[in-house]
Each structure stands twice: as C-alpha cells, then as structure tokens.
Amino acid sequence: VHLTPLDLRTAPDRLVEPGTAVAVCENPRVLESAAEERVEHPVVCLSGRPTTVALTLLDRLAADGATLHHHGDFDWAGVGITRSLWEHHGVRPWRMSAGDYREALDRAAAARTDLPNLVGTPGETPWDPALAELMSTAARAVEEEHVLPTLLADLRAGL
C-alpha cells in the first residue's frame, strides 16, 4: 500500500510490537516479490530516496521498538541512503557488507551477467569501511534485483 501523511496520522498509536524485525528496501521489486511469494514478514519499500512520510514511518517503527534492517542497491546512491538511515534513524545495514558485495559480484561473474559501471561520487560506508573500498576497486553496481533470491530467503527466515 502507498502510505500518505493522512495514513500515518490516522494509524494506531503502536504500529508493531517491540522487537519486531522490519525489512526496509530501496526497490519496489523486493516488496512485490515478497508479496507474490506470500512472505509474511514486515517490509517497507522506500522506492529510492526516502520521503518525509517514509522517514516518519521508520521513526515511528523504531519508537515502537522495531529493529529496522535496510538493503539498497550497491551503488553510491544506495550506500548513501543506507548511511543516512544508519546515522540518523538507527537502521541496521542488511546484507550491505563487503562480503555481500563480493558474493554478488562473484555470482554475476559465474552467471556471465554484465553489471553496470559504478558511477557517481564515492561515499563512505562506516558500518563496513571495506565495502566502499571494494566498490571503488570493482567499479560495478549491483542492483537489489540481482540479489533478490538472497533477500527473499532472509525474509522467509525472519531476517
């Protein structure tokens, strides 16, 4: 469902029980795939850079005691979103490590998948400094759709 400010204003005071793990993704395809496969795990999709409504929702979820886990594209914009959410909203990176990036690169190479060039201004990844270094060296972007099977497996397992 698309969330509006009115939806948030009229929502119950408590959105989740304390300790609820909530997956936060960048790309709608992750949410669509989880819904298609009837994965019963809370997922919030930001559809790129988070809007004010999305940030308000994440803050409310965190205030309710939810643990928020964010996965985004392995590109500079995606790690920038993860970094901002991590620094300002207490969101934990989800499968956003140098090891996860290396695994995605290796999987693409094995499948002979040509990944797009990594463009833009490099950003820091303070939760895993090796990630930014590896991304700069490999110079390939990995979109969430490429790692979708892994993300769905995590959702099925409860993160």
Side-chain angles (χ1 to χ4, degrees):
V1 62
H2 178 77
L3 191 66
T4 68
L6 177 61
D7 295 325
L8 277 180
R9 284 194 304 270
T10 60
D13 289 338
R14 177 170 291 285
L15 298 175
V16 296
E17 292 300 316
T20 301
V22 177
V24 181
C25 63
E26 183 179 338
N27 192 303
R29 188 65 194 127
V30 177
L31 177 61
E32 292 166 357
S33 295
E36 287 170 358
E37 295 192 18
R38 300 185 188 281
V39 173
E40 294 186 17
H41 191 284
V43 178
V44 173
C45 178
L46 302 176
S47 295
R49 293 213 175 269
T51 63
T52 301
V53 173
L55 294 174
T56 301
L57 172 63
L58 296 181
D59 287 343
R60 283 196 54 192
L61 291 168
D64 285 349
T67 305
L68 306 173
H69 304 266
H70 179 262
H71 188 278
D73 292 335
F74 282 111
D75 59 16
W76 297 125
V79 297
I81 292 167
T82 302
R83 183 178 60 250
S84 178
L85 293 173
W86 181 73
E87 290 173 343
H88 303 291
H89 301 278
V91 176
R92 299 176 182 184
W94 164 36
R95 296 238 180 226
M96 292 293 291
S97 71
D100 297 313
Y101 179 68
R102 168 53 57 204
E103 184 179 313
L105 292 175
D106 292 346
R107 190 177 308 121
R112 296 180 183 245
T113 300
D114 188 28
L115 297 172
N117 290 329
L118 186 59
V119 297
T121 304
E124 295 179 6
T125 54
W127 64 90
D128 185 351
L131 174 58
E133 183 178 331
L134 181 56
M135 287 176 65
S136 292
T137 302
R140 295 292 181 188
V142 179
E143 297 172 345
E144 278 187 305
E145 294 91 341
H146 183 73
V147 296
L148 189 56
T150 302
L151 299 179
L152 291 173
D154 284 353
L155 292 174
R156 279 188 222 92
L159 272 180

